[in-house]
Amino acid sequence: MGKTTGKVAAVNGNMVVVEFDGAVMMNEVAYIETEGKRLKSEIIRIRGNRCSMQVFEITTGIMVGDNVDFTGEMLAIEVGPGLLAQIYDGLQNPLPRLAEKCGFFLERGEYLEPLPRDQKWDFTPKVAIGAEVSGGDAVGSVPEGIFDHLIMVPFHLTRTYTVKSIASEGAYTNQEVIAVLVDGKGDEYDIFLSFTWPVKRAVMSYEERLLPYEPMVTQYRIIDTFFSVAKGGTFCVPGPFGAGKTVIQQTISQNADVDIVIFAACGERAGEVVETLKEFPQLIDPATGRSLMERTIIICNTSSMPVAAREASLYTAVTIAEYYRQMGLHVLLLADSTSRWAQALREMSGRLEEIPGEEAFPAYLESTIAGFYERAGLVRMKNGSEGSVTIGGTVSPAGGNLEEPVTQATLKVVGAFHGLSRERSAARKYPAIHPLDSWTKYQGIIAKDQVDYAMGFLVRGTEIEQMMRVVGEEGTGLSDFIIYLKGNFVDAVYMQQDTYEAADKSVKPERQKHVLDLVISVLRANLDFDDMEEARSWFATLGRMVIDYNYTPWQSKECRALEKQILDVIEAKI
Amino acid sequence: MKKIYSKIESIVGNVITVRATGVRYGELAQIETGFGTSLAEVNRLDGDMVSLQVFIGGRGISTDNNVMFLGHTMRVSFSDDILGRVFTGSAAPRDNGPALLQHMIPIGGPSVNPARRIIPRRMIRTGIPMIDLFNSLVVSQKLPIFSIYGEPYNQLLARIAMQAEVDVIVFGGMGLKFDDYLFFKNTLETGAAFHKSVMFIHTAADPTVECLMIPDMALAVAEQFALQNKDVLVLLNDMTSFADAMKEIAISQEQVPSNRGYPGDLYSQLAARYEKAVDFETAGSITVLGVTTMPGDDVTHPIPDNTGYITEGQYYLRGGRIDPFGSLSRLKQQVNGKTRKDHRALMDAMIRLYSSYKETMEKKSMGFHMSSWDEKLLIYGEHFEREMMDLSVNIALEEALDLGWWILAKCFTKDESGLRTELINEFWPA
């Protein structure tokens, strides 16, 4: 088969139609050669000898008749040691190194090696000559930060191979062959420290997928206790602008008890990425004592960067997540925001003149969103170890209306829903996760009956509050009023949390359990009040005390002293 | 040698097509009509069919008009000479000055590498307490004023422009009433800020296509000034007209509309402009202040809604005042901890009390009994609205802080203020 050649036939926005000669593949990458630059593009439709390509760059300057160079490969990224602590754009261009080369602006047509070619890694072999391996099996490892980075047989080698040669212990770059495999027919395959994998194909080199069971602790009380997320599960955070989606994601990315966090800033403000970018290297991960950046990878395709690359960026992120999962690690992927990603699909669909669905989103919106979230999961490897990819996506519904297509398509496929409400954020109740709208399908860190008991007060309390708006406090019985106050109490001292207070920002499960026990003891108590005014002021005082208690470092002297006082106040009222 | 094409194949709305080869996407052409020459921009190529968006619109264009391709994209002149000048959406002079053709720079350039941005940390003082004290404006921030028609947003924008301590002001006017354009021009002139300003003006009577060029030209020029170590303030008024112009052109080009007729890329298009706001690591900065008029006072309308997701907060103009509840400066935390130590605490306390005042007002309007605390809140609310919120108040931040303490002391006891004892001891007026 000769090399396929092509020429530009039409240009419309970021879509280019190319007339080609030879064979092309769906999602194949091609470069448009214009004004001395090579612009990366991807084939998204083929009809006869014309294919439509989405261009990952600004298309200004392209001319009918420009040459197109087909690569014969699908859109792929390079995986291997050196990914951690990197900051990439949606196509795996390392942004800091790009800045060194091009300065302030993102010049188009500049593509750098995602992984440094000259860095040496200390390789330790794990297999002997003659061993039988297949895709995903480790042939050795190199240390990368705090991890033992497994060097795996590329995932596309799905049959069984015999190790013909393996490098001895020593330092190698990712350009050097470290092993040679041979298959049944005698064909040989060179193995390097890194390899490429197409982003739109899920990695399947594992034994089986398991049901997620272990909670992923975020140290947000309302999430861990009431709306938990399991390792290998999925969750979404929809909310109007200004409700605090990004703060929640940033806090989770710091606190989550996973091995690796991948932060995909997809079509959002550059300023927010910059905060992560500049602050993470300074923050210390309490679990390892190392900089948080060492366990983080940032994929950043902000709102003003080309739209087609935004579509690719989430796939790039999830592919890297799957790669580390294959080493038996727990990976959390945070995508902010999936709505911008869906909008990228919509823009492309419009250019392709496809028949639009609801709000002009393409008809395949649901299956595309489902396909993305389904790449999360807990899996057991062939060697018995377990690894997971957890996906959390924010959704930015138009007008804050959760009925819109992206939110609805997302709710269908996620395991937990953390709905943010403007009502709560306007009242400065943070995190603004609405306790009555949100739900989870995962078991949290606390027994279900306790959680349900506490939640019962909130539900009942809200009903009473609504009733009170009609009949006034005068028309409400004291016992109902106490239930209402108890509901408010759960909300104020447990569900709300102050991200700007050091001790309250991250609450370990141990403390969550302890505080919830205390809260429940108040809920269970048969409190004795003379009138509503007394009840209100008692709960106000107690609430203030528990919040102060939340702000003290766990098990410090002040913490114990305050707890004693709180218990005394409760004791006096029973 | 430039080829001239004299057969126009089709004219639909503002878009014409000609058969031509060797034309680049985004290239400019010049078209000679019976009413003078106009620029046109290539916005679609299909084989040898070239579609062009004509700046002056399709009206009066004849199928035998001459079209000449210029071999470059839309450009604008950049040098210190443009200061004190006014241009149209075609980059032609709107004042009586000479046309500038030196140092042409392309517009709509690539976005800034996020790795080269820095966390903003400098406050822009405006002399308006509702901004300086409650929602500080920060260098490199992008912030719209959400407003309904009839609110004094032009006056507010002009005041901020006059009082902000910046090196260069770039004004982009889109769909402006001619009177409003003159208002801004006169304000800048009388305020002696004209010599550091450049205006790109599209008035409501000008062709729609020119409206689309305004933000890109204004921001391209701003970017060059910023690269010369200048702090630039870009005023975009009104971005709703810009979005409506986009809608008009998208519909006439038969693009599938997404929400209320707006094109599916509304978010990306708005973001591409607002995201030009930047604080360069080793050079100047661009701060973008826009006006977004909200059709029907509806914040869920696609324009304010998409804008809210892009910008770093918003100032809500309502009833002639900046509403402290809807307004938000997402970057204020970066600067208001470094001004004076009572800044944050006073800001929170005053807003909390004002919110209680609003609740009391609601209770009062329903005829409920007013307690002595309610009475205090009513007095406080009145003071707050008159002495802080009124847009005519023009004082420095420190004075505003002192004023805040004075209002609190006038209305409440020390305990009732809810402020920390340490701050009360230092700042409570005797």
Side-chain angles (χ1 to χ4, degrees):
Chain A
M1 191 178 78
K3 180 146 172 74
T4 306
T5 56
K7 292 213 182 301
V8 171
V11 188
N12 178 14
N14 62 345
M15 193 190 71
V16 168
V17 177
V18 175
E19 261 176 28
F20 61 89
D21 182 10
V24 297
M25 177 170 58
M26 189 65 169
N27 298 107
E28 178 172 345
V29 170
Y31 291 90
I32 298 169
E33 294 170 339
T34 195
E35 296 181 320
K37 304 248 184 204
R38 287 163 55 81
L39 308 182
K40 199 170 189 174
S41 351
E42 181 188 14
I43 297 177
I44 51 173
R45 178 194 275 173
I46 305 167
R47 272 186 186 161
N49 67 338
R50 285 162 81 100
C51 60
S52 302
M53 309 200 306
Q54 57 174 344
V55 185
F56 297 121
E57 307 276 2
I58 300 169
T59 47
T60 305
I62 295 177
M63 199 158 69
V64 170
D66 277 344
N67 265 324
V68 179
D69 179 22
F70 292 92
T71 61
E73 312 253 330
M74 281 169 74
L75 185 64
I77 58 163
E78 189 177 15
V79 287
L83 287 169
L84 289 179
Q86 289 273 16
I87 300 152
Y88 290 122
D89 75 359
L91 301 173
Q92 219 195 2
N93 256 314
L95 288 173
R97 267 188 285 145
L98 202 64
E100 277 168 33
K101 190 172 172 205
C102 302
F104 286 127
F105 298 98
L106 295 166
E107 298 299 338
R108 64 178 181 164
E110 291 288 345
Y111 309 107
L112 300 179
E113 302 297 347
L115 297 170
R117 291 281 175 263
D118 46 4
Q119 190 173 352
K120 294 218 172 215
W121 299 92
D122 292 322
F123 177 75
T124 312
K126 277 189 191 292
V127 292
I129 290 171
E132 298 219 320
V133 292
S134 76
D137 290 346
V139 297
S141 69
V142 302
E144 182 188 16
I146 54 170
F147 302 104
D148 204 22
H149 187 120
L150 298 184
I151 303 303
M152 294 176 278
V153 176
F155 308 135
H156 60 265
L157 300 178
T158 48
R159 295 188 305 260
T160 307
Y161 309 82
T162 313
V163 177
K164 188 180 169 205
S165 75
I166 177 95
S168 55
E169 213 168 310
Y172 303 91
T173 68
N174 60 14
Q175 299 298 294
E176 296 171 71
V177 176
I178 51 129
V180 178
L181 307 183
V182 60
D183 67 8
K185 286 184 274 177
D187 291 341
E188 292 190 356
Y189 301 87
D190 291 343
I191 307 295
F192 299 86
L193 291 179
S194 62
F195 60 93
T196 59
W197 180 259
V199 293
K200 290 187 181 166
R201 294 200 69 100
V203 177
M204 307 284 255
S205 307
Y206 49 79
E207 193 65 40
E208 63 171 336
R209 248 183 97 158
L210 306 170
L211 193 66
Y213 59 92
E214 188 191 347
M216 180 192 76
V217 175
T218 63
Q219 308 204 36
Y220 266 123
R221 284 187 293 257
I222 187 166
I223 296 178
D224 295 343
T225 303
F226 292 98
F227 307 110
S228 164
V229 179
K231 282 179 185 161
T234 50
F235 64 103
C236 71
V237 189
F241 62 83
K245 287 185 296 294
T246 306
V247 174
I248 291 183
Q249 289 241 335
Q250 283 175 346
T251 314
I252 291 179
S253 69
Q254 292 171 21
N255 289 338
D257 72 329
V258 291
D259 299 308
I260 289 169
V261 176
I262 299 175
F263 197 84
C266 175
E268 287 290 313
R269 303 178 185 93
E272 285 163 2
V273 186
V274 176
E275 279 179 34
T276 310
L277 252 139
K278 308 271 164 173
E279 280 170 8
F280 265 43
Q282 264 80 39
L283 294 175
I284 299 297
D285 180 6
T288 60
R290 305 279 282 263
S291 151
L292 263 178
M293 202 61 206
E294 287 185 32
R295 69 159 200 177
T296 310
I297 301 167
I298 296 173
I299 312 289
C300 150
N301 209 93
T302 57
S303 55
S304 60
M305 287 156 79
V307 169
R310 191 196 297 169
E311 194 249 341
S313 68
L314 282 198
Y315 291 110
T316 299
V318 74
T319 306
I320 296 176
E322 286 174 336
Y323 174 71
Y324 278 100
R325 176 200 69 193
Q326 291 298 116
M327 297 173 204
L329 298 173
H330 295 287
V331 186
L332 169 64
L333 166 61
L334 293 167
D336 185 17
S337 129
T338 56
S339 294
R340 305 299 160 222
W341 174 68
Q343 284 180 342
L345 295 176
R346 174 167 76 183
E347 283 182 37
M348 223 46 235
S349 167
R351 301 257 186 241
L352 287 170
E353 294 175 357
E354 291 171 341
I355 294 172
E358 206 181 337
E359 286 185 21
F361 282 106
Y364 45 81
L365 176 74
E366 288 197 5
S367 59
T368 311
I369 289 178
F372 169 68
Y373 278 103
E374 274 299 304
R375 288 178 75 169
L378 174 69
V379 299
R380 191 158 53 81
M381 304 305 155
K382 290 172 200 159
N383 65 8
S385 66
E386 283 180 7
S388 71
V389 173
T390 310
I391 298 182
T394 63
V395 184
S396 323
N401 167 21
L402 300 186
E403 310 285 298
E404 59 92 41
V406 181
T407 316
Q408 287 303 314
T410 308
L411 286 181
K412 220 163 137 180
V413 291
V414 293
F417 164 58
H418 301 153
L420 304 187
S421 86
R422 176 157 279 153
E423 176 200 335
R424 279 179 79 84
S425 72
R428 306 279 192 270
K429 292 180 178 173
Y430 292 116
I433 296 173
H434 202 294
L436 300 183
D437 295 345
S438 305
W439 47 259
T440 182
K441 294 175 182 167
Y442 306 113
Q443 168 62 43
I445 59 168
I446 284 167
K448 196 168 177 313
D449 55 335
Q450 267 190 307
V451 173
D452 289 348
Y453 184 76
M455 192 54 110
F457 279 89
L458 204 74
V459 175
R460 186 82 186 97
T462 311
E463 286 167 8
I464 294 167
E465 187 184 359
Q466 274 160 3
M467 213 169 62
M468 264 192 318
R469 282 201 195 131
V470 184
V471 298
E473 281 183 19
E474 304 89 274
T476 311
L478 183 59
S479 60
D480 271 0
F481 190 69
I482 292 173
I483 293 175
Y484 156 73
L485 288 175
K486 282 179 172 176
N488 262 354
F489 177 72
V490 178
D491 185 356
V493 307
Y494 200 81
M495 292 187 166
Q496 293 170 37
Q497 205 167 330
D498 191 342
T499 338
Y500 295 99
E501 282 287 336
D504 207 30
K505 179 181 181 178
S506 43
V507 185
K508 296 253 182 307
E510 183 195 2
R511 183 169 189 174
Q512 291 193 27
K513 285 176 190 155
H514 189 81
V515 177
L516 191 69
D517 282 343
L518 188 140
V519 169
I520 285 182
S521 75
V522 175
L523 299 182
R524 285 197 199 283
N526 205 352
L527 301 164
D528 177 29
F529 295 113
D530 295 335
D531 55 24
M532 287 182 175
E533 210 37 61
E534 192 203 350
R536 191 205 307 275
S537 89
W538 188 82
F539 269 103
T541 315
L542 185 71
R544 189 65 241 163
M545 286 172 80
V546 180
I547 290 170
D548 284 344
Y549 166 71
N550 282 339
Y551 289 177
T552 57
W554 179 230
Q555 296 195 330
S556 62
K557 223 165 85 192
E558 312 101 276
C559 175
R560 283 173 218 264
L562 261 170
E563 183 170 332
K564 174 89 180 42
Q565 283 180 34
I566 290 166
L567 292 175
D568 288 345
V569 170
I570 299 171
E571 195 60 38
K573 207 67 221 171
I574 294 175
Chain B
M1 192 208 76
K2 290 199 171 108
K3 248 168 119 178
I4 292 175
Y5 299 87
S6 57
K7 184 164 187 302
I8 295 174
E9 304 282 334
S10 74
I11 306 172
V12 180
N14 300 320
V15 179
I16 62 166
T17 45
V18 293
R19 284 190 187 277
T21 52
V23 177
R24 293 188 181 278
Y25 187 73
E27 188 174 337
L28 275 194
Q30 196 169 302
I31 167 163
E32 281 165 38
T33 75
F35 307 94
T37 54
S38 166
L39 292 176
E41 190 181 53
V42 175
N43 72 351
R44 187 183 285 206
L45 295 172
D46 190 359
D48 61 354
M49 294 294 281
V50 179
S51 304
L52 298 126
Q53 209 160 256
V54 183
F55 282 28
I56 60 160
R59 279 195 202 110
I61 292 186
S62 155
T63 51
D64 63 354
N65 281 158
N66 286 340
V67 179
M68 185 174 76
F69 291 93
L70 301 177
H72 60 76
T73 55
M74 185 65 194
R75 298 185 303 186
V76 60
S77 169
F78 171 76
S79 68
D80 282 348
D81 292 345
I82 65 170
L83 293 173
R85 298 291 309 270
V86 187
F87 300 94
T88 68
S90 295
R94 189 182 268 281
D95 51 13
N96 295 322
L100 296 177
L101 298 167
Q102 308 293 310
H103 312 288
M104 300 301 277
I105 54 161
I107 66 168
S111 74
V112 173
N113 189 330
R116 274 298 178 94
R117 288 173 180 263
I118 53 175
I119 300 180
R121 52 181 196 279
R122 288 181 289 154
M123 180 176 158
I124 298 184
R125 286 164 173 262
T126 64
I128 300 169
M130 293 313 290
I131 294 179
D132 292 357
L133 176 50
F134 295 100
N135 278 301
S136 317
L137 182 64
V138 179
V139 169
S140 89
Q141 191 160 20
K142 41 188 179 287
L143 207 74
I145 298 167
F146 281 2
S147 170
I148 55 170
Y149 305 111
E151 293 284 346
Y153 52 86
N154 285 328
Q155 284 76 358
L156 176 62
L157 203 61
R159 250 194 80 192
I160 297 174
M162 297 309 301
Q163 295 184 194
E165 294 156 337
V166 293
D167 301 320
V168 176
I169 298 169
V170 182
F171 186 94
M174 290 151 282
L176 277 193
K177 262 174 65 185
F178 202 85
D179 302 358
D180 291 337
Y181 152 55
L182 289 180
F183 163 75
F184 279 106
K185 189 160 176 272
N186 293 340
T187 313
L188 287 171
E189 273 167 354
T190 50
F194 204 60
H195 66 281
K196 62 168 187 179
S197 309
V198 50
M199 299 178 89
F200 293 92
I201 300 292
H202 165 265
T203 67
D206 295 335
T208 311
V209 180
E210 289 192 353
C211 183
L212 293 182
M213 300 293 153
I214 297 282
D216 285 341
M217 286 195 292
L219 290 160
V221 164
E223 207 159 72
Q224 293 301 319
F225 279 121
L227 288 172
Q228 294 183 352
N229 273 324
K230 297 214 165 72
D231 285 325
V232 187
L233 176 65
V234 179
L235 306 172
L236 298 174
N237 179 16
D238 152 1
M239 286 301 274
T240 302
S241 302
F242 171 73
D244 283 335
M246 247 178 352
K247 172 168 83 170
E248 186 182 324
I249 284 160
I251 296 281
S252 73
Q253 286 207 290
E254 297 172 7
Q255 276 187 33
V256 182
S258 68
N259 213 340
R260 294 211 216 173
Y262 290 93
D265 61 356
L266 178 65
Y267 174 86
S268 303
Q269 294 289 355
L270 289 174
R273 274 79 194 187
Y274 280 114
E275 282 281 324
K276 290 274 177 195
V278 64
D279 200 349
F280 285 114
E281 203 167 354
T282 51
S285 68
I286 301 175
T287 309
V288 178
L289 206 57
V291 168
T292 300
T293 46
M294 293 186 290
D297 198 13
D298 175 12
V299 74
T300 67
H301 182 280
I303 302 171
D305 185 52
N306 278 293
T307 304
Y309 279 117
I310 294 163
T311 54
E312 288 151 340
Q314 64 277 330
Y315 293 138
Y316 246 100
L317 201 54
R318 189 167 278 160
R321 295 190 283 239
I322 297 178
D323 180 354
F325 299 122
S327 302
L328 167 75
S329 161
R330 287 169 185 267
L331 301 184
K332 68 178 170 195
Q333 307 289 351
Q334 313 279 6
V335 296
N336 63 12
K338 295 177 283 192
T339 47
R340 210 169 87 176
K341 69 177 177 186
D342 56 333
H343 188 158
R344 277 188 191 167
L346 189 68
M347 167 182 92
D348 286 338
M350 293 197 82
I351 291 299
R352 207 166 41 233
L353 288 165
Y354 186 66
S355 146
S356 307
Y357 157 74
K358 283 279 180 190
E359 281 168 24
T360 297
M361 281 297 278
E362 222 168 274
K363 260 169 55 182
K364 192 180 172 199
S365 68
M366 289 195 291
F368 282 107
H369 169 72
M370 293 283 100
S371 65
S372 64
W373 171 244
D374 288 327
E375 298 291 351
K376 285 186 171 185
L377 285 171
L378 289 175
I379 298 172
Y380 168 75
E382 199 185 306
H383 274 288
F384 187 77
E385 288 183 350
R386 196 176 58 227
E387 282 148 41
M388 278 286 186
M389 286 176 73
D390 198 290
L391 276 187
S392 67
V393 178
N394 185 4
I395 47 178
L397 170 68
E398 288 71 17
E399 278 177 74
L401 289 168
D402 292 341
L403 176 68
W405 284 103
W406 182 83
I407 293 176
L408 288 181
K410 203 170 162 64
C411 304
F412 305 107
T413 66
K414 290 178 183 177
D415 282 350
E416 285 167 344
S417 74
L419 279 148
R420 282 203 304 277
T421 320
E422 174 213 346
L423 290 173
I424 288 180
N425 288 342
E426 188 171 343
F427 292 104
W428 196 266

